[in-house]
Amino acid sequence: MRLPGAMRLVRFRGAGGAEPRLGLEEAAGGSLVDLSAAEPALPRSMRAFLESGQSGLAAAQRALELGRHRLPRGTVRLLAPVGDPEKVICVGLNYRDHCLEQDVKIPREPIIFSKFPSAIIGPFDDIVHPEESSEVDWEVELAAVIGKKGRHIEESSALDHVVGFTVANDVSARDWQRRNGRQWLLGKTFDTFCPLGPALVTKDAVADVHNLSIRCSVNGRLMQDSSTSQLVFRLPKLIAWVSRFVTLVPGDILLTGTPPGVGAFRKPPVFLKRGDEVRCEIEELGTICNKVV
């Protein structure tokens, strides 16, 4: 039974590569309801849709309940749920077990960095291995999507500003994290270094975002296997912290950190090569799978 407000929002292209449209998964991996056909007055950008607030979400809920304008999953290409965020905010060293594998102290304050939105690709698009790096690594991450504008947000109301969650891969060039004055930005923001998807799962559809299994495999070999219960700083703390410095707006994406098992800290280290397939999965949210080319 679907809970009120529980939705799996997607962006997609239909046959012929038409302009991106908004849709709803009837179930994880199932057929879509074409929201842009069901509610043609709604924006076709997820960011603009989220800016419409509760009225937009209510229209989407109606379309899902009516179930018209269905499309078989095989006839569409899923895109990143949010393709044009104002900000992609990331958190480093935010899993206790990830800190332990590096033998570093657990941070006392969140470590914040960013990726450029131009790094975003869809849930099944290719990751392009840049010629400039020989140490490309994987990082499965829970991503929260902001649905309500705010600055200086209190922890007690922080989740009111979140519309939902999706799966991310914070692809990272470790060699470039050490270069550039040890500023992480360049190593994190090569084109295609932020696969997202498959859906924006509204928070009403998630039982407990701080108790979800989170996994990553490369070529079928399980590399990361943890739980969001291992987060050092949970979402309310992160949102309150980040909003001390910047205004959060609908569509902003917050990557919350990665668990242990990345390639850089294996003995010997393991890095991605062309032809590899990276699969990232979070319980209740879904799976993204990207080939390295």
Side-chain angles (χ1 to χ4, degrees), residues 14-284:
E19 286 298 305
R21 303 169 72 85
L22 298 186
L24 297 134
E25 282 189 317
E26 293 189 303
S31 297
L32 305 186
V33 171
D34 185 340
L35 180 57
S36 296
E39 296 281 347
L42 288 176
R44 295 192 180 188
S45 154
M46 186 69 78
R47 178 174 162 186
F49 168 77
L50 295 176
E51 288 170 350
S52 71
Q54 288 301 317
S55 63
L57 292 170
Q61 186 73 43
R62 286 196 304 271
L64 183 60
E65 290 168 357
L66 288 171
R68 298 172 186 160
H69 304 284
R70 281 193 179 95
L71 296 170
R73 180 65 171 264
T75 64
V76 304
R77 175 191 166 208
L78 289 187
L79 308 174
V82 184
D84 59 345
E86 183 179 283
K87 295 182 280 298
V88 180
I89 302 161
C90 308
V91 186
L93 299 177
N94 199 34
Y95 276 74
R96 292 177 183 86
D97 43 9
H98 184 45
C99 294
L100 291 173
E101 78 167 343
Q102 300 178 60
D103 194 28
V104 297
K105 291 182 179 179
I106 292 174
R108 296 177 64 182
E109 296 174 340
I111 298 171
I112 304 299
F113 62 98
S114 66
K115 292 168 102 71
F116 293 141
S118 55
I120 292 173
I121 58 171
F124 307 108
D125 292 344
D126 293 339
I127 297 166
V128 177
H129 192 301
E131 296 288 346
E132 293 82 0
S133 175
S134 59
E135 297 183 6
V136 177
D137 206 346
W138 58 86
E139 292 192 5
V140 61
E141 305 208 8
L142 167 72
V145 180
I146 299 299
K148 177 183 173 184
K149 184 177 180 179
R151 178 86 196 275
H152 296 296
I153 299 165
E154 297 290 335
E155 282 188 48
S156 59
S157 61
L159 289 181
D160 294 342
H161 292 261
V162 173
V163 66
F165 312 101
T166 194
V167 182
N169 184 353
D170 178 15
V171 184
S172 305
R174 302 300 185 195
D175 38 7
W176 281 95
Q177 283 187 259
R178 296 191 302 271
R179 296 175 64 176
N180 193 41
R182 301 191 79 85
Q183 295 283 334
W184 292 355
L185 176 67
L186 290 183
K188 292 285 190 174
T189 205
F190 279 96
D191 289 352
T192 74
F193 269 26
C194 192
L196 285 178
L200 195 177
V201 182
T202 58
K203 59 189 175 186
D204 295 314
V206 179
D208 181 0
V209 73
H210 296 113
N211 191 28
L212 302 175
S213 64
I214 178 168
R215 300 185 184 92
C216 176
S217 61
V218 178
N219 301 328
R221 179 186 172 192
L222 186 63
M223 297 296 195
Q224 295 180 277
D225 187 7
S226 187
S227 167
T228 57
S229 64
Q230 289 287 315
L231 285 168
V232 177
F233 302 106
R234 295 188 165 200
L235 278 163
K237 173 69 175 180
L238 292 174
I239 290 164
W241 178 262
V242 171
S243 71
R244 291 171 60 178
F245 306 95
V246 297
T247 301
L248 296 175
V249 298
D252 282 352
I253 298 169
L254 176 61
L255 275 62
T256 57
T258 199
V262 298
F265 299 113
R266 293 182 171 270
K267 299 186 188 326
V270 177
F271 295 111
L272 293 172
K273 59 186 183 303
R274 293 174 184 86
D276 285 346
E277 186 177 83
V278 186
R279 182 182 179 91
C280 296
E281 178 182 4
I282 301 179
E283 183 182 6
E284 299 184 25

